[in-house]
Amino acid sequence: MSGEAAVYVDDKVGSDELGDGSIGRPFQSPLGAYIAKGTEVKVLVRKALSPTQDEPAPAQGGQEWVEATSSSLKKAKKLHEAHLRKQQKAQDTKQRDEAAAKAKADSDAAKIEAAKAVVITEPEGAQAVKIKLRQTTQNRGHRVRVFGWVHRLRQQSGLTFLVLRDGTGYLQCVLSGKLIETYDSLTLNLEASVEITGTITALPEGKTAPDGHELMADWWRVLGAAPGGEAAITNKVAETASADLLADNRHLVIRGETASAVLRVRAALLKAFRETYERLGLLEVTPPCMVQTQVEGGSTLFSFDYYGQQAYLTQTSQLYLETCLPALGDVFCVQESFRAEKSHTRRHLSEYTHVEAELAFLTFDDLLEHIEEMICGSVELVLKDPVAGPLLKQLNPDFKPPTRPFMRMDYKDAIKYLQDNEILTGDGKRHELGVDISEAPERQMTDRIGKPIFLCRFPKEIKAFYMKKCPEDPGYTESVDVLMPNVGEIVGGSMRISDINELLEGYKREGIDPTPYYWFTDQRVYGSGNSGGYGLGLERCLAWLTNRFTVRDCSLYPRWTGRATP
C-alpha cells in the first residue's frame, strides 16, 4: 500500500460528516473514509493510549498512527458496498418517480388541454328557480339554481362531490358524466365561486350530507376561480399557522365553520339583547363616538385632532345615555368603544362592541335584578334560535344557561376569599382592602366558584368619579361587576351620583376639570333622581357563551395593541 494515499480515522474525536481525513480533521470510521475517499486509500487509525499516557495527540508521522486491522477494513468494505447499492437504489427510485411525475404531468396537461374543448350547455325544459341554500329543504324535488363557494371537494368513483356554501347554508352537489370532463372541473379548487343547476333529492338510507339531501347537477360553471398549490386556502390558514398569520388572513379564517359559527351566534346575541331590551321597555339610541370628555381615565384614550380641537374616541356612551333619561326614559345603545390601554391579555381589545343601558328611578337591587333578566333572558332567546342554538351547542357542548339569582359577593368578602384561598396579586402579594382585584386572581376566584357572580360595592378610590356612595358605608360605592367562569368580568355597572356636590367632589378627586362636563353636571341641576346603568362587553360575553379562549375570536376583525389590519 506504499503508493496509496493515507487518511486518518479517530473514533473518539473524528467525524464522518465534517472530517476530511487529515490529522486535524480525521474521519470517525473506516466506512466514513471509504464513502468520502473510495476504497483505494490507506486507513490509519490512532493507537489507543495507555492509562498513564495523557499527552496531546502527536504530530503527523508520529508513532501513534497505525494501519487499520484487515478485519475492520473487510467489514468497512462490505458496509461500503451496501452503501453503494442503497445509493444506487435511491437514485433509481428517484429517476422512476421523476419519470412517473413527468408522465402524470404530461397526461394531466393533455387532459386539461382536451378539456378546454368540452362544452356543456344548460338543459332546456323545466325552469331552474334561483334559491339561497337556506331554502333547499322546501325545494326538494324541484330544479333549482344555486350559487356559492366550494367548501369541500372530493372525487370518488367517477363522480365529483362538492359541498357548496353561500353564507346561509350548505348543500352537497354531485357532478357526473360530461360535467366532470370540463376544464373548470379539472382545475376546480376550494373557495372557487360557482353556479349550479339541478334537482334536490333526499339521500338514500345510510348516506349523510348537510340537511339530508343533495343536488344532482345537470349543468354548472365556475364564476370565480381559486388558487391551488401553495396559495390554496388550506395552506394560507392551516391549523398549524401562527396566531399572527391567522390574524393577517382573518378575511379567509372567517370562511371556516368554527369562525363563522361564532359570528352567527354573535349576531343572534345582539338580536336577543335588542328583543330583551324592547320587552323591558328600553329605547335604543346612538350616542357619538367622537367625544371631548374622558370617563375611564386619560391614559386609555385614543386622541385625535378635531378641526383644531382635542378630541377622543369614546370609551363609553354612559354619560350621553344619562342625558336621555328625562327625554326618552330608560335607554340602551350598541356602540363601539375604544381603550388605548396596552393590555395583551386574552380578554382585552382596543376596539370592542359595548352594550350599555341607563335606567331611571331604581334602587341598586333593582339594577342587579335588571342585569340578571337582561343576561338570562337574552341567553334563553339565543338557545331557542333555530340557527344559533344548535351552533352554540356545537361550539360549547357543556354550556348550561345561568340560573337566577346570581351569587352576590361584596368586594370585602372577595378580598377575604382571595386571602383564605391564598390567591395572590399579580406581583405575588397578599390581597388587602383598598386594592383593585386584577384580572388573573379575579378569574381564578370565579373559576373556582364556577357560577355567575355579582361582585359588588367597590371602594370609591378605585371606581369612576360618577359612582354613587353606599349610604351605609360612604367609603364604598353602589357598584357591580358581573363575573363569568372562564372569562371573568363581562359587565361593569353602578348607581349614579344624584347629588351635584358629591359629583363635583368626584371630579376633584380624579383631577378632572368639570367645565367640559357642564352638560353632564346639568343632569343634577334640572331634576336629579336615582339612576343606574352598566356596560357589557359583547366579545367577552360571547367568549363565555361559546367557550372561546380569547375575545379576539369573537370579533369580526379584532383590534388590539399594534394590530389594525386587515
Side-chain angles (χ1 to χ4, degrees), residues 86-104:
K86 183 178 179 181
Q87 196 175 49
Q88 184 61 48
K89 184 178 180 181
Q91 185 175 356
D92 293 344
T93 300
K94 181 181 178 182
Q95 289 175 346
R96 285 197 304 270
D97 290 346
E98 288 176 347
K102 184 178 184 305
K104 185 178 185 308

Side-chain angles (χ1 to χ4, degrees), residues 63-283:
Q63 60 180 357
E64 300 302 331
W65 293 100
V66 298
E67 289 190 36
T69 63
S70 58
S71 61
S72 66
L73 294 178
K74 183 178 180 181
K75 180 179 179 181
K77 286 182 178 180
K78 286 185 177 180
L79 292 173
H80 181 249
E81 290 171 358
H83 169 76
L84 292 178
R85 289 193 298 271
K86 183 178 179 181
Q87 196 175 49
Q88 184 61 48
K89 184 178 180 181
Q91 185 175 356
D92 293 344
T93 300
K94 181 181 178 182
Q95 289 175 346
R96 285 197 304 270
D97 290 346
E98 288 176 347
K102 184 178 184 305
K104 185 178 185 308
D106 291 343
S107 174
D108 289 346
K111 285 182 180 179
I112 289 175
E113 192 61 33
K116 292 179 180 178
V118 177
V119 178
I120 58 175
T121 57
E122 186 174 350
E124 298 179 358
Q127 181 70 25
V129 179
K130 179 182 175 182
I131 65 170
K132 293 287 188 179
L133 298 190
R134 67 172 184 270
Q135 302 169 312
T136 53
T137 300
Q138 61 263 43
N139 280 282
R140 283 186 181 180
H142 299 136
R143 185 166 183 264
V144 298
R145 184 183 309 276
V146 294
F147 299 80
W149 290 265
V150 178
H151 188 65
R152 295 196 188 94
L153 177 65
R154 64 184 171 92
Q155 282 82 30
Q156 180 180 324
S157 304
L159 301 172
T160 293
F161 295 86
L162 60 90
V163 174
L164 207 60
R165 180 192 76 242
D166 73 346
T168 74
Y170 298 88
L171 175 64
Q172 178 167 289
C173 304
V174 183
L175 310 181
S176 60
K178 198 173 182 182
L179 300 185
I180 63 173
E181 297 173 4
T182 65
Y183 176 81
D184 281 348
S185 177
L186 296 182
T187 57
L188 187 63
N189 291 307
L190 293 178
E191 295 305 320
S193 56
V194 299
E195 176 185 358
I196 306 178
T197 62
T199 303
I200 300 175
T201 60
L203 283 173
E205 192 72 28
K207 302 293 184 180
T208 59
D211 295 322
H213 54 227
E214 61 189 5
L215 183 143
M216 303 301 297
D218 56 37
W219 176 84
W220 78 292
R221 63 171 175 161
V222 169
L223 300 175
E230 291 185 6
I233 191 170
T234 49
N235 292 326
K236 294 277 282 187
V237 293
E239 290 184 4
T240 56
S242 68
D244 281 342
L245 186 60
L246 291 175
D248 288 339
N249 289 292
R250 179 70 175 167
H251 59 294
L252 299 178
V253 170
I254 60 177
R255 298 187 182 201
E257 292 181 26
T258 298
S260 63
V262 172
L263 294 175
R264 290 186 186 282
V265 175
R266 177 189 170 107
L269 181 59
L270 281 171
K271 179 183 177 184
F273 282 146
R274 287 189 163 99
E275 289 182 6
T276 301
Y277 280 133
E278 183 176 1
R279 176 171 59 83
L280 296 175
L282 279 73
L283 184 71

Side-chain angles (χ1 to χ4, degrees), residues 449-469:
I449 294 173
K451 56 185 177 182
I453 302 170
F454 276 141
L455 185 55
C456 304
R457 300 178 178 87
F458 291 84
K460 68 178 190 301
E461 290 81 10
I462 63 173
K463 283 298 182 180
F465 67 90
Y466 52 78
M467 293 190 177
K468 188 173 184 178
K469 297 176 184 176

Side-chain angles (χ1 to χ4, degrees), residues 277 280 282 330-331 356-375 406 408 454-457 466-468 477-482 491-496 530-535:
Y277 280 133
L280 296 175
L282 279 73
D330 298 343
V331 292
E356 299 183 85
E358 288 293 320
L359 303 99
F361 306 119
L362 78 169
T363 66
F364 187 47
D365 286 338
D366 292 337
L367 178 64
L368 300 185
E369 290 174 8
H370 165 85
I371 295 173
E372 279 179 341
E373 178 60 29
M374 188 273 296
I375 293 175
F406 292 177
R408 267 71 166 165
F454 276 141
L455 185 55
C456 304
R457 300 178 178 87
Y466 52 78
M467 293 190 177
K468 188 173 184 178
T477 56
E478 289 189 322
S479 52
V480 59
D481 286 352
V482 180
V491 174
S494 76
M495 295 299 290
R496 313 312 193 189
N530 279 343
S531 66
Y534 57 89

Side-chain angles (χ1 to χ4, degrees), residues 278-315:
E278 183 176 1
R279 176 171 59 83
L280 296 175
L282 279 73
L283 184 71
E284 184 170 9
V285 294
T286 52
C289 282
M290 297 186 292
V291 301
Q292 290 186 299
T293 53
Q294 66 183 54
V295 179
E296 303 295 338
S299 63
T300 64
L301 286 165
F302 284 107
S303 62
F304 63 96
D305 179 83
Y306 186 70
Y307 301 109
Q309 300 178 42
Q310 182 77 38
Y312 312 100
L313 295 177
T314 184
Q315 299 170 315

Side-chain angles (χ1 to χ4, degrees), residues 11-69:
D11 63 355
K12 290 185 173 57
V13 300
S15 170
D16 289 342
E17 290 76 26
L18 303 177
D20 61 7
S22 64
I23 290 180
R25 295 173 59 193
F27 293 113
Q28 187 181 31
S29 66
L31 175 60
Y34 283 166
I35 290 174
K37 302 291 187 178
T39 55
E40 300 301 319
V41 293
K42 180 191 295 185
V43 178
L44 301 178
V45 298
R46 188 183 295 281
K47 182 180 179 181
L49 298 174
S50 66
T52 60
Q53 290 175 304
D54 55 3
E55 296 87 355
Q60 185 174 2
Q63 60 180 357
E64 300 302 331
W65 293 100
V66 298
E67 289 190 36
T69 63

